[in-house]
């Protein structure tokens, strides 16, 4: 087994996932970058070395299996899984039909479950780490987030379930709840009213950057966090 550590980052074509992939690379890791948006992933991957690009969907079980197999085929190990892929769809309860609800749950919750389960054999071997990305919207209820907020609250609890059960294998599992970050996902759903409300509610009174979130994720995957598990960290 090669000594260089390997991170598998989902939703890595842009935004927080891409910043996280870059940070791992800066720290000498190799990175398996997954994103179902194949053209965007291709563009992001072009500029980077020490990566493989995996154009798979985290909510489809056989694509998840292929993702893990491809990563092990290329790199032989997985030391960290970052469950970052996510979708946002904001709307009132009465307008959130079952299809919209399922679309959010499939990626944001089912994807985290499927990916984590599929990565267990290599993570047991490396005594590695999982970081699940939830959201400020999972910590507190706010209007229009019936599906998104509920999916993220579930990710927080799934993190705790995973942490208690996987600790015996030396696998640490933590959750990062980003505040607002100006990514494509956020800008598609953050109206001016939502932006103003965030500025009022957040102590630092500003949006965060992708790099600030990536730094927290990388810390949780690093040996510096070797005694940290089951934690929900707002960033
Ligand atoms: P983004 O839209 O810029 O990036 C998300 C990426 O995930 C996209 O490239 C998309 O193609 C990919 N993706 C979506 N569904 C997928 C699937 N089923 N399989 C594989 N790839 C998939 O968004 P972002 O803001 O960087 O979000 C990253 C994570 O951070 C998400 O989980 C999001 O919910 C969370 N988050 C973001 C904010 C914010 O303000 N930006 C705040 C809190 C939490």
């Amino acid at each position: 087994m090669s000594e260089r550590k390997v991170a598998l980052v989902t939703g890595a074509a842009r935004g927080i996932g891409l910043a996280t992939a870059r940070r791992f690379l800066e720290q000498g890791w190799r990175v398996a970058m997954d994103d179902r948006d194949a053209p965007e992933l291709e563009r992001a991957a072009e500029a980077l070395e020490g990566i493989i690009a995996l154009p798979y969907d985290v909510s489809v079980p056989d694509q998840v299996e292929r993702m893990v197999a491809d990563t092990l085929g290329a790199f032989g190990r997985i030391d960290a899984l970052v469950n970052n892929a996510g979708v946002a769809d904001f709307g009132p309860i009465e307008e959130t039909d079952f299809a919209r609800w399922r679309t959010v749950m499939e990626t944001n919750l089912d994807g985290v479950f499927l990916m984590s389960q599929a990565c267990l054999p290599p993570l047991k071997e490396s005594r590695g780490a999982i970081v699940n990305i939830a959201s400020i919207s999972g910590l507190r209820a706010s209007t229009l987030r019936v599906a998104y907020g509920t999916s993220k609250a579930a990710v927080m609890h799934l993190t705790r379930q995973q942490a208690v059960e996987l600790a015996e294998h030396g696998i640490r599992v933590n959750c990062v709840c980003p505040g607002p970050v100006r990514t494509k996902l956020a800008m598609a759903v953050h109206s001016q009213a939502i932006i103003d409300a965030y500025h009022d509610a957040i102590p630092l009174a500003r949006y965060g950057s992708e790099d600030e979130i990536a730094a927290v994720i990388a810390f949780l995957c690093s040996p510096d966090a070797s005694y940290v598990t089951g934690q929900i960290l707002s960033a």
Side-chain angles (χ1 to χ4, degrees):
M1 208 192 257
S2 160
E3 287 302 305
R4 278 179 71 195
K5 288 190 172 182
V6 174
L8 171 48
V9 181
T10 68
R14 64 181 196 224
I16 294 166
L18 178 56
T20 302
R22 287 206 180 104
R23 182 162 283 258
F24 276 118
L25 291 171
E26 280 162 22
Q27 296 179 349
W29 292 52
R30 291 167 298 169
V31 183
M33 296 171 64
D34 158 69
D35 204 292
R36 70 177 171 188
D37 183 341
E40 184 101 3
L41 180 63
E42 206 54 50
R43 272 193 295 280
E46 257 170 30
L48 302 173
E49 278 177 28
I51 61 113
I52 53 167
L54 305 169
Y56 297 129
D57 188 322
V58 298
S59 70
V60 181
D62 63 324
Q63 295 194 31
V64 166
E65 293 299 331
R66 268 187 279 156
M67 201 192 306
V68 176
D70 287 3
T71 304
L72 292 176
F75 294 144
R77 60 189 289 166
I78 298 175
D79 299 273
L81 166 65
V82 181
N83 283 311
N84 166 78
V87 296
D89 180 358
F90 286 12
I93 292 171
E94 285 174 306
E95 289 171 24
T96 302
D97 63 22
F98 189 57
R100 287 176 71 181
W101 170 269
R102 278 305 308 149
T103 299
V104 173
M105 293 299 164
E106 269 168 14
T107 289
N108 293 9
L109 181 56
D110 301 353
V112 177
F113 171 76
L114 291 169
M115 286 297 306
S116 304
Q117 194 178 51
C119 284
L120 283 187
L123 286 174
K124 280 185 186 175
E125 208 165 313
S126 63
R127 299 179 74 79
I130 299 174
V131 174
N132 297 325
I133 308 305
S135 170
I136 186 174
S137 298
L139 285 164
R140 52 159 211 187
S142 36
T143 55
L144 308 179
R145 273 82 146 186
V146 63
Y148 184 74
T150 305
S151 74
K152 295 302 192 178
V155 166
M156 289 161 51
H157 194 72
L158 176 58
T159 301
R160 295 192 188 98
Q161 291 290 146
Q162 292 171 330
V164 293
E165 195 171 321
L166 301 179
E168 70 171 288
H169 304 294
I171 301 173
R172 298 179 301 100
V173 190
N174 292 290
C175 179
V176 176
C177 292
V181 178
R182 278 181 205 287
T183 62
K184 202 164 176 182
L185 172 145
M187 289 305 101
V189 289
H190 289 188
S191 61
Q192 192 56 48
I194 288 178
I195 294 170
D196 294 344
Y198 273 134
H199 283 152
D200 284 347
I202 290 170
L204 290 170
R206 66 171 175 84
Y207 273 48
S209 73
E210 290 91 332
D211 287 341
E212 287 173 315
I213 311 301
V216 175
I217 296 169
F219 160 70
L220 289 171
C221 294
S222 77
D224 286 342
S226 56
Y227 202 50
V228 181
T229 197
Q231 299 307 300
I232 312 293
L233 210 160
S234 297

